[in-house]
Amino acid sequence: MRKKIVAGNWKMNTNLCEAVELAKGIRERLSEVPSNVKLIVAPPFTNIESVEEILSGTPVAVAAQNCADHDKGAYTGEISAKMIASCGCKYVILGHSERRTYYGETSAKIVEKMKLAFAAGLGVILCIGENLDERNAGKHFEVTRKEIEDVLFNFTAEDMANVTVAYEPIWAIGTGVTATSAQAEEIHAHVRKVIASEFGEKVADEMTILYGGSCKPSNAKELFSCPDIDGGLIGGAALKPDDFIAIAKSY
Ligand code: PGA
């Protein structure tokens, strides 16, 4: 049985008070979440410790939204994988399209970050996905294949136990336009095949692949009912405990 995950990416939202309130709101409603669904929240760096404290003793794991591509030293403004792990984080999101697009994050950089994340004992949620032009040109299979090859193929089959892939079509992120369950499922199945081609069927079969992009309570059930969709990476709807928990309950 593959792990089912619903992860909330808070992005650059929530000041300290708001993050504390959001974490408490989620904690209060945890009894409603099916036991087979793992919840992860990814607050901004500045809120990680407080959120971790509120959620400690619960099954909710805390993730960072990014980490540095260096181990330590004179990199002003950067936060290392080890620092994140020392605050109690269990995961880090890497390769989000907002980082690739706005901060020039290349696959080579993501590989460096991933090595450091593994060395720090963090699981990685690797985001991939095509933009609207690529989708309209029918290149979505090719783009997602290349993103996986360029990053994951630098690692071993054993490493894959610490990887979760999130397919996030860029045209669906924050736009209110969700991929249809058929559009999402065909890429998820494709991603699984690409992973199988390098690491074997067993690894591919055990890989949790999340969907992200305007996932909300009204569409989560249909998306999560697809055979290759193992949960969601949720942005906007993760900022309200009611919506986040409702999505988790869609399983
Ligand atoms: P969204 O963001 O749910 O607000 O579309 C998803 C994401 O970027 O992870």
Side-chain angles (χ1 to χ4, degrees), residues 48-63:
I48 283 175
E49 228 181 311
S50 309
V51 168
E52 171 62 31
E53 214 174 290
I54 290 163
L55 296 172
S56 73
T58 76
V60 185
V62 179

Side-chain angles (χ1 to χ4, degrees), residues 128-130 135 144 165-169 171 184 187-188 210-212:
I128 59 166
E130 79 286 354
R135 163 68 56 170
T144 47
V165 173
Y167 169 57
E168 301 204 301
W171 46 273
I187 297 292
H188 281 235
L210 310 179
Y211 169 79

